[in-house]
Amino acid sequence: GAVYPTLTLGAPAAHALGFKDGGATAMARKLRACIASREPAERMAAISLAQGYGRRCALLMCHGFAALAASFALVCRTNAERRSAPFFGRLRELGYLFQLETLLSTRGDEWAMLQDTQGVVQMIERVQLMMLPANEDAPDGVALRGGAHMPVLCFAPRELGFRDAARASAAGLKPGVMLRVRPVLLSQGINEEQSVANLMQTH
């Protein structure tokens, strides 16, 4: 059967920007409300909020896309070594399951961090994965192409554990074929902050 390795990293959150306005999803809701408002002050506030939201999304994209690329490369290498044709067949038919698990609580700054992580999941839902054909290359092994609405992470065959595109194709991973990403977020706070959040029914 297929093997799904685990990649451990810090929660994708914009710590450097702080959490005064909440995380990404909270800022997005505030921004939509400001834009929809007829109040001049609210519309002016939208400009500053949009700039902060843009900076936050840029940081989160770097963190989230790097984690996705590392995870996909690791699982492909593992299954390439095992010559697991069923894995690459399911990958082609169903897409890549990217499961994120966190121990963040739903209270205080950790709640804002969880909002950032949810924002990353929403970004990753738009990403496509592709192995480059033989006539193209990514000098660093991975290249980001496409636009904001459909970014494409492109991988050189060697980055995925194959000597060349022909060997990858024989294993079931066709070059040039777009693969969907299906992200799933699971979070379970396990500290005293989560106990308080459960008691107070916070978020």
Side-chain angles (χ1 to χ4, degrees):
V3 174
Y4 291 89
T6 299
L7 182 68
T8 303
L9 69 159
H15 297 86
L17 298 179
F19 302 104
K20 183 184 70 170
D21 294 318
T25 55
M27 290 181 72
R29 284 194 298 270
K30 290 177 185 177
L31 183 57
R32 284 194 295 269
C34 286
I35 292 172
S37 175
R38 295 182 179 179
E39 295 293 329
E42 290 289 319
R43 288 181 172 272
M44 289 299 295
I47 297 173
S48 175
L49 190 57
Q51 292 172 340
Y53 179 66
R55 288 192 294 269
R56 191 168 213 92
C57 286
L59 281 176
L60 294 177
M61 185 180 72
C62 293
H63 198 163
F65 284 18
L68 173 61
S71 170
F72 183 67
L74 180 60
V75 74
C76 284
R77 287 181 181 184
T78 302
N79 286 284
E81 290 174 4
R82 293 167 56 88
R83 293 187 171 89
S84 178
F87 167 78
F88 292 107
R90 286 193 293 271
L91 188 65
R92 188 172 59 251
E93 293 173 16
L94 305 175
Y96 180 57
L97 174 63
F98 183 63
Q99 180 174 312
L100 295 92
E101 298 181 8
T102 86
L103 300 178
L104 294 171
S105 70
T106 58
R107 191 166 184 267
D109 283 354
E110 287 198 0
W111 171 235
M113 291 167 62
L114 193 53
Q115 292 170 347
D116 274 353
T117 303
Q118 180 61 38
V120 168
V121 169
Q122 292 171 356
M123 292 178 193
I124 285 175
E125 284 177 333
R126 298 194 296 268
V127 176
Q128 302 277 320
L129 304 171
M130 183 184 75
M131 187 186 68
L132 292 168
N135 61 339
E136 296 184 44
D137 191 25
D140 296 321
V142 185
L144 177 61
R145 299 180 183 175
H149 295 291
M150 196 185 77
V152 183
L153 282 172
C154 304
F155 297 80
R158 65 182 181 279
E159 193 70 18
L160 303 180
F162 298 102
R163 184 176 299 176
D164 51 41
R167 290 176 185 267
S169 186
L173 185 60
K174 306 296 182 184
V177 174
M178 299 285 194
L179 302 171
R180 286 192 60 184
V181 179
R182 300 183 182 273
V184 177
L185 173 61
L186 303 174
S187 187
Q188 177 63 60
I190 60 172
N191 58 11
E192 65 277 8
E193 292 290 335
Q194 187 61 55
S195 298
V196 173
N198 293 343
L199 179 66
M200 304 300 292
Q201 297 185 355
T202 307
H203 310 303

PDB file of all heavy atoms in Angstrom, residues 12-13 24-25 60-61 63-65 68 98-102 113-127 181-187:
ATOM      1  N   PRO A  12       1.763  27.454  10.386  1.00  0.00           N
ATOM      2  CA  PRO A  12       1.934  28.564   9.445  1.00  0.00           C
ATOM      3  C   PRO A  12       1.159  29.790   9.898  1.00  0.00           C
ATOM      4  O   PRO A  12      -0.046  29.911   9.663  1.00  0.00           O
ATOM      5  CB  PRO A  12       1.391  28.001   8.122  1.00  0.00           C
ATOM      6  CG  PRO A  12       0.455  26.917   8.537  1.00  0.00           C
ATOM      7  CD  PRO A  12       0.980  26.356   9.812  1.00  0.00           C
ATOM      8  N   ALA A  13       1.842  30.678  10.603  1.00  0.00           N
ATOM      9  CA  ALA A  13       1.212  31.887  11.132  1.00  0.00           C
ATOM     10  C   ALA A  13       2.195  33.046  11.026  1.00  0.00           C
ATOM     11  O   ALA A  13       3.406  32.849  11.125  1.00  0.00           O
ATOM     12  CB  ALA A  13       0.793  31.673  12.588  1.00  0.00           C
ATOM     13  N   ALA A  24      -5.600  35.726   9.597  1.00  0.00           N
ATOM     14  CA  ALA A  24      -5.946  36.017   8.201  1.00  0.00           C
ATOM     15  C   ALA A  24      -7.444  35.983   7.933  1.00  0.00           C
ATOM     16  O   ALA A  24      -7.987  36.880   7.283  1.00  0.00           O
ATOM     17  CB  ALA A  24      -5.222  35.045   7.283  1.00  0.00           C
ATOM     18  N   THR A  25      -8.132  34.956   8.421  1.00  0.00           N
ATOM     19  CA  THR A  25      -9.561  34.857   8.112  1.00  0.00           C
ATOM     20  C   THR A  25     -10.353  35.966   8.802  1.00  0.00           C
ATOM     21  O   THR A  25     -11.314  36.496   8.239  1.00  0.00           O
ATOM     22  CB  THR A  25     -10.116  33.478   8.492  1.00  0.00           C
ATOM     23  OG1 THR A  25      -9.827  33.209   9.874  1.00  0.00           O
ATOM     24  CG2 THR A  25      -9.499  32.387   7.629  1.00  0.00           C
ATOM     25  N   LEU A  60       2.194  34.166   4.771  1.00  0.00           N
ATOM     26  CA  LEU A  60       1.544  32.856   4.907  1.00  0.00           C
ATOM     27  C   LEU A  60       1.725  32.011   3.654  1.00  0.00           C
ATOM     28  O   LEU A  60       1.879  30.792   3.741  1.00  0.00           O
ATOM     29  CB  LEU A  60       0.060  33.047   5.214  1.00  0.00           C
ATOM     30  CG  LEU A  60      -0.271  33.695   6.560  1.00  0.00           C
ATOM     31  CD1 LEU A  60      -1.779  33.890   6.703  1.00  0.00           C
ATOM     32  CD2 LEU A  60       0.266  32.851   7.709  1.00  0.00           C
ATOM     33  N   MET A  61       1.704  32.656   2.502  1.00  0.00           N
ATOM     34  CA  MET A  61       1.900  31.910   1.255  1.00  0.00           C
ATOM     35  C   MET A  61       3.285  31.282   1.220  1.00  0.00           C
ATOM     36  O   MET A  61       3.434  30.115   0.830  1.00  0.00           O
ATOM     37  CB  MET A  61       1.711  32.838   0.052  1.00  0.00           C
ATOM     38  CG  MET A  61       1.787  32.114  -1.280  1.00  0.00           C
ATOM     39  SD  MET A  61       1.566  33.209  -2.698  1.00  0.00           S
ATOM     40  CE  MET A  61       3.122  34.091  -2.680  1.00  0.00           C
ATOM     41  N   HIS A  63       5.145  30.371   3.744  1.00  0.00           N
ATOM     42  CA  HIS A  63       5.177  29.266   4.703  1.00  0.00           C
ATOM     43  C   HIS A  63       4.371  28.069   4.195  1.00  0.00           C
ATOM     44  O   HIS A  63       4.838  26.929   4.203  1.00  0.00           O
ATOM     45  CB  HIS A  63       4.626  29.756   6.044  1.00  0.00           C
ATOM     46  CG  HIS A  63       4.999  28.886   7.197  1.00  0.00           C
ATOM     47  ND1 HIS A  63       4.908  29.303   8.500  1.00  0.00           N
ATOM     48  CD2 HIS A  63       5.436  27.604   7.265  1.00  0.00           C
ATOM     49  CE1 HIS A  63       5.286  28.335   9.313  1.00  0.00           C
ATOM     50  NE2 HIS A  63       5.607  27.295   8.579  1.00  0.00           N
ATOM     51  N   GLY A  64       3.155  28.339   3.764  1.00  0.00           N
ATOM     52  CA  GLY A  64       2.260  27.263   3.345  1.00  0.00           C
ATOM     53  C   GLY A  64       2.703  26.558   2.077  1.00  0.00           C
ATOM     54  O   GLY A  64       2.678  25.322   2.006  1.00  0.00           O
ATOM     55  N   PHE A  65       3.128  27.324   1.069  1.00  0.00           N
ATOM     56  CA  PHE A  65       3.548  26.707  -0.194  1.00  0.00           C
ATOM     57  C   PHE A  65       4.818  25.889  -0.006  1.00  0.00           C
ATOM     58  O   PHE A  65       4.988  24.832  -0.621  1.00  0.00           O
ATOM     59  CB  PHE A  65       3.750  27.769  -1.270  1.00  0.00           C
ATOM     60  CG  PHE A  65       2.467  28.315  -1.843  1.00  0.00           C
ATOM     61  CD1 PHE A  65       1.256  28.157  -1.184  1.00  0.00           C
ATOM     62  CD2 PHE A  65       2.467  29.014  -3.034  1.00  0.00           C
ATOM     63  CE1 PHE A  65       0.077  28.663  -1.705  1.00  0.00           C
ATOM     64  CE2 PHE A  65       1.301  29.527  -3.574  1.00  0.00           C
ATOM     65  CZ  PHE A  65       0.099  29.352  -2.899  1.00  0.00           C
ATOM     66  N   LEU A  68       3.800  22.647   1.620  1.00  0.00           N
ATOM     67  CA  LEU A  68       3.140  21.785   0.635  1.00  0.00           C
ATOM     68  C   LEU A  68       4.149  21.153  -0.308  1.00  0.00           C
ATOM     69  O   LEU A  68       4.090  19.949  -0.588  1.00  0.00           O
ATOM     70  CB  LEU A  68       2.118  22.608  -0.154  1.00  0.00           C
ATOM     71  CG  LEU A  68       1.447  21.908  -1.338  1.00  0.00           C
ATOM     72  CD1 LEU A  68       0.663  20.688  -0.878  1.00  0.00           C
ATOM     73  CD2 LEU A  68       0.537  22.888  -2.085  1.00  0.00           C
ATOM     74  N   PHE A  98      -3.527  16.744   1.510  1.00  0.00           N
ATOM     75  CA  PHE A  98      -2.565  17.461   2.349  1.00  0.00           C
ATOM     76  C   PHE A  98      -3.229  17.724   3.689  1.00  0.00           C
ATOM     77  O   PHE A  98      -4.050  18.617   3.833  1.00  0.00           O
ATOM     78  CB  PHE A  98      -2.155  18.775   1.664  1.00  0.00           C
ATOM     79  CG  PHE A  98      -1.115  19.566   2.405  1.00  0.00           C
ATOM     80  CD1 PHE A  98       0.150  19.048   2.614  1.00  0.00           C
ATOM     81  CD2 PHE A  98      -1.389  20.846   2.873  1.00  0.00           C
ATOM     82  CE1 PHE A  98       1.122  19.779   3.282  1.00  0.00           C
ATOM     83  CE2 PHE A  98      -0.427  21.588   3.537  1.00  0.00           C
ATOM     84  CZ  PHE A  98       0.835  21.050   3.748  1.00  0.00           C
ATOM     85  N   GLN A  99      -2.900  16.916   4.676  1.00  0.00           N
ATOM     86  CA  GLN A  99      -3.547  17.011   5.981  1.00  0.00           C
ATOM     87  C   GLN A  99      -2.671  17.771   6.956  1.00  0.00           C
ATOM     88  O   GLN A  99      -1.530  17.409   7.207  1.00  0.00           O
ATOM     89  CB  GLN A  99      -3.824  15.607   6.530  1.00  0.00           C
ATOM     90  CG  GLN A  99      -4.501  15.624   7.891  1.00  0.00           C
ATOM     91  CD  GLN A  99      -4.889  14.245   8.352  1.00  0.00           C
ATOM     92  OE1 GLN A  99      -5.486  13.469   7.601  1.00  0.00           O
ATOM     93  NE2 GLN A  99      -4.571  13.911   9.593  1.00  0.00           N
ATOM     94  N   LEU A 100      -3.226  18.854   7.513  1.00  0.00           N
ATOM     95  CA  LEU A 100      -2.523  19.646   8.515  1.00  0.00           C
ATOM     96  C   LEU A 100      -3.141  19.350   9.879  1.00  0.00           C
ATOM     97  O   LEU A 100      -4.364  19.389  10.023  1.00  0.00           O
ATOM     98  CB  LEU A 100      -2.653  21.144   8.232  1.00  0.00           C
ATOM     99  CG  LEU A 100      -2.009  21.690   6.964  1.00  0.00           C
ATOM    100  CD1 LEU A 100      -3.013  21.677   5.821  1.00  0.00           C
ATOM    101  CD2 LEU A 100      -1.534  23.118   7.200  1.00  0.00           C
ATOM    102  N   GLU A 101      -2.304  19.083  10.855  1.00  0.00           N
ATOM    103  CA  GLU A 101      -2.779  18.856  12.211  1.00  0.00           C
ATOM    104  C   GLU A 101      -2.073  19.831  13.155  1.00  0.00           C
ATOM    105  O   GLU A 101      -0.864  20.007  13.061  1.00  0.00           O
ATOM    106  CB  GLU A 101      -2.494  17.420  12.655  1.00  0.00           C
ATOM    107  CG  GLU A 101      -3.202  16.372  11.806  1.00  0.00           C
ATOM    108  CD  GLU A 101      -2.933  14.956  12.285  1.00  0.00           C
ATOM    109  OE1 GLU A 101      -2.328  14.795  13.364  1.00  0.00           O
ATOM    110  OE2 GLU A 101      -3.334  14.018  11.579  1.00  0.00           O
ATOM    111  N   THR A 102      -2.833  20.468  14.032  1.00  0.00           N
ATOM    112  CA  THR A 102      -2.234  21.398  14.981  1.00  0.00           C
ATOM    113  C   THR A 102      -2.761  21.105  16.386  1.00  0.00           C
ATOM    114  O   THR A 102      -3.784  20.437  16.556  1.00  0.00           O
ATOM    115  CB  THR A 102      -2.560  22.877  14.658  1.00  0.00           C
ATOM    116  OG1 THR A 102      -3.813  23.232  15.262  1.00  0.00           O
ATOM    117  CG2 THR A 102      -2.638  23.132  13.173  1.00  0.00           C
ATOM    118  N   MET A 113      -3.565  32.499  15.455  1.00  0.00           N
ATOM    119  CA  MET A 113      -2.664  31.620  14.702  1.00  0.00           C
ATOM    120  C   MET A 113      -3.461  30.568  13.939  1.00  0.00           C
ATOM    121  O   MET A 113      -3.136  30.227  12.791  1.00  0.00           O
ATOM    122  CB  MET A 113      -1.674  30.944  15.657  1.00  0.00           C
ATOM    123  CG  MET A 113      -0.654  31.894  16.268  1.00  0.00           C
ATOM    124  SD  MET A 113       0.239  31.153  17.657  1.00  0.00           S
ATOM    125  CE  MET A 113       1.070  29.791  16.835  1.00  0.00           C
ATOM    126  N   LEU A 114      -4.507  30.057  14.563  1.00  0.00           N
ATOM    127  CA  LEU A 114      -5.358  29.071  13.899  1.00  0.00           C
ATOM    128  C   LEU A 114      -6.089  29.699  12.715  1.00  0.00           C
ATOM    129  O   LEU A 114      -6.280  29.050  11.671  1.00  0.00           O
ATOM    130  CB  LEU A 114      -6.349  28.500  14.911  1.00  0.00           C
ATOM    131  CG  LEU A 114      -7.127  27.235  14.519  1.00  0.00           C
ATOM    132  CD1 LEU A 114      -6.192  26.122  14.071  1.00  0.00           C
ATOM    133  CD2 LEU A 114      -7.976  26.766  15.693  1.00  0.00           C
ATOM    134  N   GLN A 115      -6.466  30.972  12.852  1.00  0.00           N
ATOM    135  CA  GLN A 115      -7.079  31.685  11.722  1.00  0.00           C
ATOM    136  C   GLN A 115      -6.088  31.819  10.569  1.00  0.00           C
ATOM    137  O   GLN A 115      -6.464  31.700   9.396  1.00  0.00           O
ATOM    138  CB  GLN A 115      -7.548  33.062  12.180  1.00  0.00           C
ATOM    139  CG  GLN A 115      -8.706  33.035  13.161  1.00  0.00           C
ATOM    140  CD  GLN A 115      -8.980  34.396  13.767  1.00  0.00           C
ATOM    141  OE1 GLN A 115      -8.177  35.322  13.649  1.00  0.00           O
ATOM    142  NE2 GLN A 115     -10.120  34.538  14.416  1.00  0.00           N
ATOM    143  N   ASP A 116      -4.822  32.086  10.900  1.00  0.00           N
ATOM    144  CA  ASP A 116      -3.784  32.138   9.854  1.00  0.00           C
ATOM    145  C   ASP A 116      -3.651  30.781   9.167  1.00  0.00           C
ATOM    146  O   ASP A 116      -3.535  30.700   7.937  1.00  0.00           O
ATOM    147  CB  ASP A 116      -2.433  32.529  10.466  1.00  0.00           C
ATOM    148  CG  ASP A 116      -2.246  34.033  10.569  1.00  0.00           C
ATOM    149  OD1 ASP A 116      -3.095  34.787  10.047  1.00  0.00           O
ATOM    150  OD2 ASP A 116      -1.232  34.464  11.168  1.00  0.00           O
ATOM    151  N   THR A 117      -3.655  29.729   9.962  1.00  0.00           N
ATOM    152  CA  THR A 117      -3.530  28.383   9.394  1.00  0.00           C
ATOM    153  C   THR A 117      -4.712  28.078   8.484  1.00  0.00           C
ATOM    154  O   THR A 117      -4.542  27.483   7.409  1.00  0.00           O
ATOM    155  CB  THR A 117      -3.426  27.334  10.518  1.00  0.00           C
ATOM    156  OG1 THR A 117      -2.319  27.661  11.366  1.00  0.00           O
ATOM    157  CG2 THR A 117      -3.215  25.945   9.947  1.00  0.00           C
ATOM    158  N   GLN A 118      -5.909  28.493   8.899  1.00  0.00           N
ATOM    159  CA  GLN A 118      -7.079  28.310   8.040  1.00  0.00           C
ATOM    160  C   GLN A 118      -6.929  29.116   6.751  1.00  0.00           C
ATOM    161  O   GLN A 118      -7.323  28.662   5.676  1.00  0.00           O
ATOM    162  CB  GLN A 118      -8.351  28.729   8.775  1.00  0.00           C
ATOM    163  CG  GLN A 118      -9.629  28.585   7.958  1.00  0.00           C
ATOM    164  CD  GLN A 118      -9.906  27.163   7.537  1.00  0.00           C
ATOM    165  OE1 GLN A 118      -9.666  26.243   8.304  1.00  0.00           O
ATOM    166  NE2 GLN A 118     -10.402  26.968   6.334  1.00  0.00           N
ATOM    167  N   GLY A 119      -6.339  30.299   6.854  1.00  0.00           N
ATOM    168  CA  GLY A 119      -6.076  31.093   5.660  1.00  0.00           C
ATOM    169  C   GLY A 119      -5.133  30.380   4.704  1.00  0.00           C
ATOM    170  O   GLY A 119      -5.308  30.425   3.486  1.00  0.00           O
ATOM    171  N   VAL A 120      -4.127  29.705   5.261  1.00  0.00           N
ATOM    172  CA  VAL A 120      -3.198  28.925   4.433  1.00  0.00           C
ATOM    173  C   VAL A 120      -3.936  27.803   3.718  1.00  0.00           C
ATOM    174  O   VAL A 120      -3.703  27.537   2.529  1.00  0.00           O
ATOM    175  CB  VAL A 120      -2.050  28.357   5.301  1.00  0.00           C
ATOM    176  CG1 VAL A 120      -1.251  27.310   4.537  1.00  0.00           C
ATOM    177  CG2 VAL A 120      -1.131  29.489   5.754  1.00  0.00           C
ATOM    178  N   VAL A 121      -4.827  27.128   4.422  1.00  0.00           N
ATOM    179  CA  VAL A 121      -5.615  26.054   3.808  1.00  0.00           C
ATOM    180  C   VAL A 121      -6.408  26.590   2.625  1.00  0.00           C
ATOM    181  O   VAL A 121      -6.465  25.961   1.555  1.00  0.00           O
ATOM    182  CB  VAL A 121      -6.551  25.401   4.856  1.00  0.00           C
ATOM    183  CG1 VAL A 121      -7.565  24.475   4.182  1.00  0.00           C
ATOM    184  CG2 VAL A 121      -5.746  24.626   5.885  1.00  0.00           C
ATOM    185  N   GLN A 122      -7.009  27.763   2.787  1.00  0.00           N
ATOM    186  CA  GLN A 122      -7.782  28.352   1.695  1.00  0.00           C
ATOM    187  C   GLN A 122      -6.897  28.692   0.499  1.00  0.00           C
ATOM    188  O   GLN A 122      -7.320  28.544  -0.654  1.00  0.00           O
ATOM    189  CB  GLN A 122      -8.510  29.600   2.207  1.00  0.00           C
ATOM    190  CG  GLN A 122      -9.604  29.282   3.210  1.00  0.00           C
ATOM    191  CD  GLN A 122     -10.180  30.518   3.874  1.00  0.00           C
ATOM    192  OE1 GLN A 122      -9.727  31.649   3.648  1.00  0.00           O
ATOM    193  NE2 GLN A 122     -11.192  30.327   4.709  1.00  0.00           N
ATOM    194  N   MET A 123      -5.658  29.137   0.760  1.00  0.00           N
ATOM    195  CA  MET A 123      -4.725  29.412  -0.340  1.00  0.00           C
ATOM    196  C   MET A 123      -4.348  28.123  -1.064  1.00  0.00           C
ATOM    197  O   MET A 123      -4.294  28.066  -2.295  1.00  0.00           O
ATOM    198  CB  MET A 123      -3.453  30.065   0.197  1.00  0.00           C
ATOM    199  CG  MET A 123      -3.608  31.459   0.740  1.00  0.00           C
ATOM    200  SD  MET A 123      -2.022  32.050   1.394  1.00  0.00           S
ATOM    201  CE  MET A 123      -2.540  33.484   2.312  1.00  0.00           C
ATOM    202  N   ILE A 124      -4.069  27.087  -0.277  1.00  0.00           N
ATOM    203  CA  ILE A 124      -3.590  25.827  -0.840  1.00  0.00           C
ATOM    204  C   ILE A 124      -4.669  25.146  -1.676  1.00  0.00           C
ATOM    205  O   ILE A 124      -4.363  24.407  -2.624  1.00  0.00           O
ATOM    206  CB  ILE A 124      -3.077  24.913   0.294  1.00  0.00           C
ATOM    207  CG1 ILE A 124      -1.717  25.437   0.785  1.00  0.00           C
ATOM    208  CG2 ILE A 124      -2.963  23.469  -0.144  1.00  0.00           C
ATOM    209  CD1 ILE A 124      -1.164  24.685   1.978  1.00  0.00           C
ATOM    210  N   GLU A 125      -5.935  25.409  -1.360  1.00  0.00           N
ATOM    211  CA  GLU A 125      -7.030  24.824  -2.145  1.00  0.00           C
ATOM    212  C   GLU A 125      -6.952  25.224  -3.613  1.00  0.00           C
ATOM    213  O   GLU A 125      -7.459  24.508  -4.481  1.00  0.00           O
ATOM    214  CB  GLU A 125      -8.379  25.253  -1.563  1.00  0.00           C
ATOM    215  CG  GLU A 125      -8.768  24.526  -0.299  1.00  0.00           C
ATOM    216  CD  GLU A 125     -10.076  25.023   0.283  1.00  0.00           C
ATOM    217  OE1 GLU A 125     -10.425  26.208   0.043  1.00  0.00           O
ATOM    218  OE2 GLU A 125     -10.747  24.249   0.982  1.00  0.00           O
ATOM    219  N   ARG A 126      -6.340  26.350  -3.905  1.00  0.00           N
ATOM    220  CA  ARG A 126      -6.247  26.834  -5.291  1.00  0.00           C
ATOM    221  C   ARG A 126      -5.011  26.316  -6.014  1.00  0.00           C
ATOM    222  O   ARG A 126      -4.877  26.498  -7.230  1.00  0.00           O
ATOM    223  CB  ARG A 126      -6.241  28.365  -5.311  1.00  0.00           C
ATOM    224  CG  ARG A 126      -7.493  29.005  -4.754  1.00  0.00           C
ATOM    225  CD  ARG A 126      -7.568  30.480  -5.115  1.00  0.00           C
ATOM    226  NE  ARG A 126      -6.484  31.248  -4.511  1.00  0.00           N
ATOM    227  CZ  ARG A 126      -6.565  31.854  -3.328  1.00  0.00           C
ATOM    228  NH1 ARG A 126      -7.676  31.764  -2.626  1.00  0.00           N
ATOM    229  NH2 ARG A 126      -5.556  32.550  -2.850  1.00  0.00           N
ATOM    230  N   VAL A 127      -4.089  25.704  -5.281  1.00  0.00           N
ATOM    231  CA  VAL A 127      -2.813  25.296  -5.868  1.00  0.00           C
ATOM    232  C   VAL A 127      -2.971  24.022  -6.700  1.00  0.00           C
ATOM    233  O   VAL A 127      -3.716  23.114  -6.343  1.00  0.00           O
ATOM    234  CB  VAL A 127      -1.761  25.065  -4.764  1.00  0.00           C
ATOM    235  CG1 VAL A 127      -0.447  24.546  -5.353  1.00  0.00           C
ATOM    236  CG2 VAL A 127      -1.515  26.355  -3.984  1.00  0.00           C
ATOM    237  N   VAL A 181      -4.913  19.754  -5.192  1.00  0.00           N
ATOM    238  CA  VAL A 181      -4.550  19.602  -3.783  1.00  0.00           C
ATOM    239  C   VAL A 181      -5.837  19.625  -2.973  1.00  0.00           C
ATOM    240  O   VAL A 181      -6.689  20.492  -3.165  1.00  0.00           O
ATOM    241  CB  VAL A 181      -3.615  20.724  -3.303  1.00  0.00           C
ATOM    242  CG1 VAL A 181      -3.279  20.544  -1.824  1.00  0.00           C
ATOM    243  CG2 VAL A 181      -2.342  20.739  -4.134  1.00  0.00           C
ATOM    244  N   ARG A 182      -5.976  18.655  -2.073  1.00  0.00           N
ATOM    245  CA  ARG A 182      -7.161  18.575  -1.217  1.00  0.00           C
ATOM    246  C   ARG A 182      -6.706  18.715   0.237  1.00  0.00           C
ATOM    247  O   ARG A 182      -6.393  17.724   0.897  1.00  0.00           O
ATOM    248  CB  ARG A 182      -7.902  17.264  -1.448  1.00  0.00           C
ATOM    249  CG  ARG A 182      -8.379  17.099  -2.899  1.00  0.00           C
ATOM    250  CD  ARG A 182      -9.174  15.843  -3.098  1.00  0.00           C
ATOM    251  NE  ARG A 182      -9.575  15.659  -4.474  1.00  0.00           N
ATOM    252  CZ  ARG A 182     -10.675  16.164  -5.023  1.00  0.00           C
ATOM    253  NH1 ARG A 182     -11.485  16.920  -4.280  1.00  0.00           N
ATOM    254  NH2 ARG A 182     -10.977  15.933  -6.275  1.00  0.00           N
ATOM    255  N   PRO A 183      -6.660  19.960   0.738  1.00  0.00           N
ATOM    256  CA  PRO A 183      -6.176  20.171   2.107  1.00  0.00           C
ATOM    257  C   PRO A 183      -7.258  19.909   3.151  1.00  0.00           C
ATOM    258  O   PRO A 183      -8.435  20.185   2.936  1.00  0.00           O
ATOM    259  CB  PRO A 183      -5.760  21.641   2.102  1.00  0.00           C
ATOM    260  CG  PRO A 183      -6.648  22.272   1.092  1.00  0.00           C
ATOM    261  CD  PRO A 183      -6.950  21.228   0.050  1.00  0.00           C
ATOM    262  N   VAL A 184      -6.825  19.362   4.282  1.00  0.00           N
ATOM    263  CA  VAL A 184      -7.723  19.107   5.414  1.00  0.00           C
ATOM    264  C   VAL A 184      -7.032  19.638   6.662  1.00  0.00           C
ATOM    265  O   VAL A 184      -5.851  19.368   6.885  1.00  0.00           O
ATOM    266  CB  VAL A 184      -8.001  17.601   5.572  1.00  0.00           C
ATOM    267  CG1 VAL A 184      -8.875  17.349   6.796  1.00  0.00           C
ATOM    268  CG2 VAL A 184      -8.667  17.042   4.319  1.00  0.00           C
ATOM    269  N   LEU A 185      -7.754  20.404   7.476  1.00  0.00           N
ATOM    270  CA  LEU A 185      -7.194  20.955   8.703  1.00  0.00           C
ATOM    271  C   LEU A 185      -7.866  20.313   9.908  1.00  0.00           C
ATOM    272  O   LEU A 185      -9.087  20.330  10.032  1.00  0.00           O
ATOM    273  CB  LEU A 185      -7.391  22.476   8.757  1.00  0.00           C
ATOM    274  CG  LEU A 185      -7.009  23.180  10.070  1.00  0.00           C
ATOM    275  CD1 LEU A 185      -5.528  22.981  10.382  1.00  0.00           C
ATOM    276  CD2 LEU A 185      -7.349  24.661  10.009  1.00  0.00           C
ATOM    277  N   LEU A 186      -7.049  19.724  10.777  1.00  0.00           N
ATOM    278  CA  LEU A 186      -7.525  19.157  12.036  1.00  0.00           C
ATOM    279  C   LEU A 186      -6.795  19.855  13.170  1.00  0.00           C
ATOM    280  O   LEU A 186      -5.576  19.969  13.152  1.00  0.00           O
ATOM    281  CB  LEU A 186      -7.243  17.645  12.107  1.00  0.00           C
ATOM    282  CG  LEU A 186      -7.824  16.784  10.988  1.00  0.00           C
ATOM    283  CD1 LEU A 186      -7.343  15.351  11.120  1.00  0.00           C
ATOM    284  CD2 LEU A 186      -9.340  16.830  11.006  1.00  0.00           C
ATOM    285  N   SER A 187      -7.535  20.351  14.155  1.00  0.00           N
ATOM    286  CA  SER A 187      -6.894  21.032  15.279  1.00  0.00           C
ATOM    287  C   SER A 187      -7.531  20.585  16.586  1.00  0.00           C
ATOM    288  O   SER A 187      -8.753  20.438  16.669  1.00  0.00           O
ATOM    289  CB  SER A 187      -7.030  22.550  15.124  1.00  0.00           C
ATOM    290  OG  SER A 187      -6.277  23.218  16.126  1.00  0.00           O
TER     291      SER A 187
END
